[in-house]
Amino acid sequence: MTMLKLDRLFIKILQVLQTNGRISNLDLSEEVNLSPSPCLERVRKLEEAGLITQYLAEIDLDKIGANLHIMAEITLGNHLVDDFKRFEAAITDVPEVISCYKIAGPFDYTMDMICRDIAHFNQLKEKLLAANIGIENFRGHVVMERTKTFSGYPLESLTAPSPLDGVLKG
């Protein structure tokens, strides 16, 4: 993986691709005001540098069938490195766990889960609690409605100079 200096064109390409991964190179090049060949070369450089890690399709689960989105808060009983590793290894094999974050605060992890219904969620929760993976406390919250969808990372503000640049001196 090569280190890549992000200029305004790389940022523009990332902004478009993060919400439209299926855009044609021709349309992308027009969107970022760059000819097609250099645009494609820049996309390849972003992929090679690991800035673009995958392309996904967002699926409307409601059109597939009944589903229940659960956001869970998990606390482990012990906090040794091996305890975290054991928990993380175990949940990688659970397809209903669609994301998991190790966090700071009153809980050790937050987890997003997709289940068919409450019965499916309860079975999964009981299975996780019985699996001897260190869970001491498991609190699940049913998502009633998604009020904001992912519309891309704020790349411009993340790559802008900090207002503290030049103010703080090490």
Side-chain angles (χ1 to χ4, degrees), residues 59-68 114-116:
I59 298 169
D60 186 342
L61 291 179
D62 293 335
K63 292 183 179 174
I64 291 176
N67 65 84
L68 188 65
I114 299 293
C115 300
R116 285 184 309 279

Side-chain angles (χ1 to χ4, degrees), residues 23-100:
I23 192 170
S24 71
N25 184 59
L26 182 60
D27 290 343
L28 176 61
S29 68
E30 289 174 6
E31 183 104 16
V32 300
N33 200 24
L34 189 65
S35 58
S37 183
C39 184
L40 184 58
E41 182 61 29
R42 281 176 169 264
V43 170
R44 287 189 177 133
K45 285 181 180 179
L46 289 166
E47 291 169 346
E48 289 169 4
L51 278 100
I52 298 173
T53 57
Q54 64 181 322
Y55 296 90
L56 300 171
E58 187 170 336
I59 298 169
D60 186 342
L61 291 179
D62 293 335
K63 292 183 179 174
I64 291 176
N67 65 84
L68 188 65
H69 185 171
I70 305 290
M71 297 180 84
E73 299 166 334
I74 309 292
T75 305
L76 300 183
N78 296 304
H79 293 96
L80 301 174
V81 172
D82 286 344
D83 298 311
F84 292 110
K85 285 181 181 178
R86 184 176 70 233
F87 173 79
E88 292 168 13
I91 62 162
T92 60
D93 295 331
V94 181
E96 292 90 348
V97 176
I98 60 170
S99 67
C100 186

